[in-house]
Amino acid sequence: MDKINQTFLLEFLLLGLSEYPKIEIVYFVVILSMYLVVLIGNGVLITASIFDSHLHSPMYFFLGNLSFLDICYTSSSVPSTLVSLISKKRNISFSGCAVQMFFGFAMGSTECLLLGMMAFDRYVAICNPLRYPVIMSKVVYILMASVSWLSGGINSIVQTSLAMRLPFCENNVINHFTCEILAVLKLACTDISLNIITMMVSNMAFPLLVIFFSYMFILYTILRMNSATGRHKAFSTCSAHLTVVIIFYGTILFMYAKPKSQELHGENKLQASDKLISLFYGVVTPMLNPIIYSLRNKDVKAAVKYLLNQKPIQ
């Protein structure tokens, strides 16, 4: 058994869509197209938030961080997925899997915290508008973003270390496109309930509490406004962020909080729906974020339009 364990711990095999070889090329084209949209869309938002003076505020600073985060998150997994679809090389070393898992989980964990920080920013802007410049000073919002990145990294180190120390016995086939932490945990021949619980608590407990209470106070403040125009303006500043939160956390809850599936012949297999949801979480959500903010935020829409209409200096 020791010999078998050592052999299988040298590398993992990513199954991906190998059971559907005829649609791999279609999948390659779709993923590549969405990845390009992620890079272009989020790149434009980052550029606009940097060079447009109207977007030099905490709200758009966080939005720029979110866009950069989405680029990093997709870049940690999509290129390797595309290569495997073309080259058919599906094996990944144990250390390579750990690195991929670390970056993927770090980006996801950081986004959870960052969305919480953005909710708090909206709470201060709507519920304490006169004190907003003092509470959300440059030092404060830079510190908030830095804490999100640092906490996400530390959380990922802990969760990746815990996952890679589990006994995998004779199973090294990951029924997924990448070394996504949940897919790797399902290979372990031991109880992973504690890993799942610690991941959900560390990623969701604090950010969701901040988001929930922030929007409760925001809703209370909006309902007390006498002006319908004021209520509409206040709600419009939150609608894009709230839409992103619902999509992001809805996908996470579907992946991590659903009941454990039945085991077949001693093996846990991801269903086709699991793979599609993972795709949605890993590529579609980062692709939708800049579209949502561009469509539902007048300042961002104007900045992006102005940026795209700029002509190069002759």
Side-chain angles (χ1 to χ4, degrees):
M1 178 62 71
D2 289 338
K3 184 177 180 180
I4 293 175
N5 277 340
Q6 290 174 7
T7 301
F8 282 122
L9 286 178
L10 290 177
E11 65 177 16
F12 291 100
L13 184 66
L14 297 169
L15 195 58
L17 287 175
S18 58
E19 65 269 38
Y20 307 109
K22 293 183 178 180
I23 66 172
E24 283 188 315
I25 186 63
V26 177
Y27 181 77
F28 174 85
V29 173
V30 171
I31 292 298
L32 178 60
S33 301
M34 290 193 295
Y35 182 52
L36 292 176
V37 174
V38 169
L39 295 179
I40 295 172
N42 287 287
V44 169
L45 269 184
I46 293 172
T47 305
S49 65
I50 293 174
F51 292 104
D52 193 314
S53 59
H54 297 93
L55 302 185
H56 290 176
S57 66
M59 175 181 174
Y60 300 112
F61 174 78
F62 288 128
L63 179 56
N65 272 262
L66 183 63
S67 294
F68 180 68
L69 190 63
D70 285 337
I71 291 176
C72 293
Y73 180 73
T74 53
S75 297
S76 69
S77 59
V78 172
S80 61
T81 300
L82 294 174
V83 170
S84 68
L85 289 171
I86 292 296
S87 65
K88 307 300 181 182
K89 182 181 179 182
R90 306 183 188 280
N91 60 306
I92 183 171
S93 66
F94 183 87
S95 58
C97 186
V99 170
Q100 190 178 76
M101 185 190 301
F102 164 77
F103 281 108
F105 193 85
M107 297 303 106
S109 181
T110 301
E111 185 156 352
C112 290
L113 293 166
L114 197 59
L115 288 174
M117 299 298 183
M118 295 173 75
F120 177 78
D121 171 70
R122 292 299 83 209
Y123 155 73
V124 177
I126 294 174
C127 301
N128 296 280
L130 298 179
R131 298 181 59 195
Y132 182 76
V134 177
I135 298 175
M136 295 299 296
S137 64
K138 187 174 182 178
V139 174
V140 171
Y141 67 73
I142 289 178
L143 181 61
M144 289 169 65
S146 301
V147 168
S148 297
W149 284 92
L150 182 61
S151 299
I154 294 174
N155 187 25
S156 185
I157 291 175
V158 173
Q159 296 299 335
T160 301
S161 299
L162 291 175
M164 302 310 281
R165 290 171 63 89
L166 292 173
F168 295 106
C169 301
E170 300 182 19
N171 193 358
N172 75 326
V173 180
I174 301 175
N175 195 2
H176 210 278
F177 307 109
T178 64
C179 285
E180 194 270 334
I181 190 167
L182 184 59
V184 175
L185 285 175
K186 289 188 176 184
L187 298 183
C189 51
T190 186
D191 183 31
I192 60 172
S193 300
L194 183 60
N195 297 78
I196 300 295
I197 292 173
T198 56
M199 283 195 301
M200 292 192 66
V201 170
S202 61
N203 271 1
M204 301 181 68
F206 175 72
L208 276 180
L209 283 175
V210 173
I211 292 171
F212 176 77
F213 284 109
S214 294
Y215 275 103
M216 286 299 98
F217 284 115
I218 288 172
L219 181 61
Y220 177 73
T221 302
I222 291 176
L223 292 177
R224 292 182 60 192
M225 293 180 178
N226 296 322
S227 170
T229 304
R231 288 196 295 268
H232 176 75
K233 184 177 180 181
F235 181 76
S236 65
T237 62
C238 302
S239 58
H241 174 260
L242 194 56
T243 303
V244 170
V245 167
I246 292 173
I247 294 174
F248 182 79
Y249 277 102
T251 309
I252 291 180
L253 286 172
F254 184 91
M255 292 173 61
Y256 290 93
K258 64 179 180 177
K260 185 178 180 181
S261 59
Q262 296 293 325
E263 295 184 359
L264 299 175
H265 306 295
E267 296 181 358
N268 287 328
K269 294 187 176 182
L270 287 175
Q271 303 300 318
S273 60
D274 294 301
K275 293 184 180 182
L276 292 176
I277 290 297
S278 178
L279 167 65
F280 188 83
Y281 173 74
V283 184
V284 179
T285 301
M287 181 184 70
L288 290 178
N289 286 351
I291 298 175
I292 292 171
Y293 274 100
S294 297
L295 292 177
R296 302 188 68 88
N297 189 294
K298 293 181 180 180
D299 292 335
V300 174
K301 188 187 298 183
V304 170
K305 184 177 180 181
Y306 177 79
L307 183 66
L308 294 177
N309 288 335
Q310 288 299 296
K311 297 180 179 179
I313 300 175
Q314 301 294 332

